[in-house]
Amino acid sequence: MGVLPVSVVIVSRGRPGALSLCLTGVAQLDYPAFEVIVVACPEGAAAVAARPDADRIKLVAFDEPNISAARNLGIAAAAGEVIAFLDDDAVPEPTWLAHLCAPFADPQVASAGGYVRGRNGIDYQWRAQGVTARAQERDLPIEGSAPRILHGRPGVAVKLQGTNMAHRRSVLAQMGGFDPAFRFFLDETDLDMRHAAEGHAVAIVPLAEVHHGYAESPRRAADRSPRDLTEIGTSLAVFLSKHCPEPERRMAWLALREAQRQRLLRFLQRGPLGPDDVLRLMRGLERGWTEGLARPFGNLPPLPEASAPFLAYPGRPGAPRRVLSGRVWSRAAMRRDAARHAADEEIVSAYRFSHTALFHTLRFRPEGYWEQIGGLWGRSERSGPAFRPHGFAARVRAEMARVAPVRDRKDRI
């Protein structure tokens, strides 16, 4: 089997800056056959139109707070055999698509999901989980970096993250795509449960990595504290009504409500929320629950064939890799060099270390390169020792080796 053509669908609403950074990362994907579809509000559409590659992006206008309906519009525009989904506040590693889509060479695989790095670019935000009909999640014991093909069963599913997942288009379209009853939250989890009910094979792909920034939105602040839980309450009601046996729903709701309350109390202890905020947010959760019990769901007719032919995006298949390194005093010169090499369509990793034990952070910068900074003797992976003596060259080699499986060319790993 040759390389599968892939459609990358990105939904964006009210976050044009995050969308621009996401698309700059997507432009560096080392994969030979993919198209890019952006479903966006007017601000997002303007951000796409301002890009030099705008004519290579399928743009779908949509400005409603319903991520499921938006994704279904993306599916309708997608002409690839596989559809990969990425949030607008996420950036993929260059080999993301190559790893994520490899399991689809097995015709039995219906969907796949990768791992997600958090805000510091190093800690994992999400790896592999399962989920039950009561919306209870549990970690899956996935070892190593090789893909694992799993099967759910009715009431127990393999959980994928909406910011890093792919589905075989023919299967997804036949299933009717995403249920618009889930305007936000549990939208992909509902789809996971439906895959499980059908016995579909799901691949967990550890090396398919994206970095998720948790950008500010109407539902959460920049510090990740919630602003509104109404739609979360609604989605919980819809999910339990759709998947949880009726005798178990009340207890499931009480457990989920308590989990949300505990989450708010942690924010209260840290400072972003006050007591009045906690009361207001819990009232919104309860109000959403009541609204969700009356919201219709299901009745998902199959989605149509693609509305437009495949629009190949150039990406950077086989692009040369470049590594830059230096001390803190070389910051300006390194950033100029990194931006120049990125503009020459190289995939650039820049490492800048201080003579300290500061923890490391990793960012994808708007100029189009990866920058890791921290102390020469500090931690990158948080499970490592707090202080480890390193020479400069040895530390650069160690960090290059750490990211090589997701940053280097897949055919050379």
Side-chain angles (χ1 to χ4, degrees):
M1 178 183 291
V3 174
L4 290 172
V6 179
S7 300
V8 177
V9 173
I10 304 163
V11 171
S12 184
R13 188 167 189 267
R15 301 195 293 207
L19 175 62
S20 293
L21 184 66
C22 174
L23 289 172
T24 299
V26 167
Q28 296 192 8
L29 287 173
D30 189 346
Y31 191 81
F34 72 98
E35 65 176 359
V36 179
I37 300 159
V38 176
V39 184
C41 65
E43 288 177 292
V48 172
R51 295 180 56 85
D53 56 1
D55 63 335
R56 308 307 302 170
I57 296 174
K58 290 181 177 178
L59 179 62
V60 181
F62 187 72
D63 192 19
E64 297 177 20
N66 189 323
I67 193 169
S68 294
R71 283 177 173 159
N72 286 346
L73 290 174
I75 297 167
E81 292 186 38
V82 172
I83 304 177
F85 294 89
L86 187 67
D87 283 357
D88 64 353
D89 60 347
V91 177
E93 285 281 356
T95 61
W96 171 61
L97 272 190
H99 287 297
L100 183 64
C101 296
F104 288 97
D106 180 345
Q108 299 303 309
V109 171
S111 61
Y115 284 9
V116 181
R117 301 272 184 179
R119 278 185 166 182
N120 63 26
I122 295 172
D123 286 339
Y124 284 110
Q125 186 183 102
W126 187 90
R127 282 188 272 193
Q129 290 184 332
V131 64
T132 71
R134 296 179 63 152
Q136 295 174 322
E137 299 174 2
R138 62 181 179 87
D139 292 338
L140 296 178
I142 303 295
E143 301 291 338
S145 60
R148 287 279 303 276
I149 297 178
L150 306 172
H151 291 79
R153 61 182 188 275
V156 181
V158 180
K159 180 173 170 54
L160 304 181
Q161 289 295 91
T163 191
N164 186 359
M165 64 180 179
H167 300 266
R168 195 177 296 276
R169 191 195 194 283
S170 58
V171 175
L172 187 56
Q174 184 59 40
M175 294 172 69
F178 295 84
D179 190 338
F182 297 92
R183 298 174 187 171
F184 163 75
F185 190 61
L186 295 177
D187 39 290
E188 68 268 35
T189 311
D190 167 67
L191 182 59
D192 297 335
M193 296 299 295
R194 290 153 55 204
H195 275 306
E198 295 292 334
H200 293 160
V202 180
I204 296 294
V205 192
L207 294 181
E209 284 194 7
V210 304
H211 296 251
H212 189 209
Y214 264 121
E216 186 176 5
S217 77
R219 292 174 300 273
R220 65 171 178 252
D223 61 10
R224 295 176 60 178
S225 59
R227 289 172 167 166
D228 184 11
L229 297 183
T230 305
E231 200 59 46
I232 287 181
T234 304
S235 290
L236 287 170
V238 174
F239 185 89
L240 295 179
S241 297
K242 190 171 183 179
H243 299 290
C244 186
E246 196 280 332
E248 301 177 22
R249 287 176 198 163
R250 182 63 183 171
M251 292 302 297
W253 158 241
L254 292 175
L256 293 166
R257 184 180 65 176
E258 177 60 17
Q260 289 294 326
R261 190 180 75 88
Q262 292 297 324
R263 181 168 75 104
L264 296 180
L265 292 178
R266 289 193 290 273
F267 280 110
L268 175 65
Q269 293 168 348
R270 284 167 41 191
L273 298 180
D276 289 346
D277 296 314
V278 173
L279 292 174
R280 172 181 57 81
L281 289 164
M282 287 301 295
R283 285 196 296 267
L285 184 74
E286 295 275 2
R287 183 170 61 252
W289 168 261
T290 301
E291 294 174 2
L293 293 176
R295 180 177 289 179
F297 57 82
N299 189 27
L300 304 175
L303 297 177
E305 294 295 323
S307 57
F310 191 82
L311 180 62
Y313 186 90
R316 292 191 186 173
R321 270 55 169 177
R322 180 162 308 258
V323 174
L324 304 176
S325 62
R327 270 77 168 183
V328 290
W329 54 80
S330 61
R331 168 181 167 175
M334 280 185 63
R335 285 186 166 178
R336 285 194 300 269
D337 288 346
R340 176 170 55 85
H341 289 298
D344 288 338
E345 299 193 349
E346 299 179 20
I347 293 173
V348 182
S349 301
Y351 300 94
R352 192 175 71 252
F353 303 139
S354 60
H355 288 84
T356 68
L358 291 173
F359 287 7
H360 288 217
T361 59
L362 173 62
R363 296 282 187 274
F364 183 75
R365 290 187 55 81
E367 298 86 354
Y369 62 89
W370 298 90
E371 181 182 65
Q372 183 173 329
I373 63 174
L376 180 60
W377 309 298
R379 290 179 181 172
S380 50
E381 293 180 333
R382 291 346 189 216
S383 59
F387 182 92
R388 178 177 291 173
H390 277 288
F392 188 86
R395 187 59 192 264
V396 172
R397 288 194 298 270
E399 295 307 318
M400 288 173 59
R402 185 180 65 81
V403 302
V406 298
R407 191 77 50 80
D408 289 351
R409 285 177 54 180
K410 187 171 180 287
D411 60 358
R412 293 183 180 178
I413 298 170

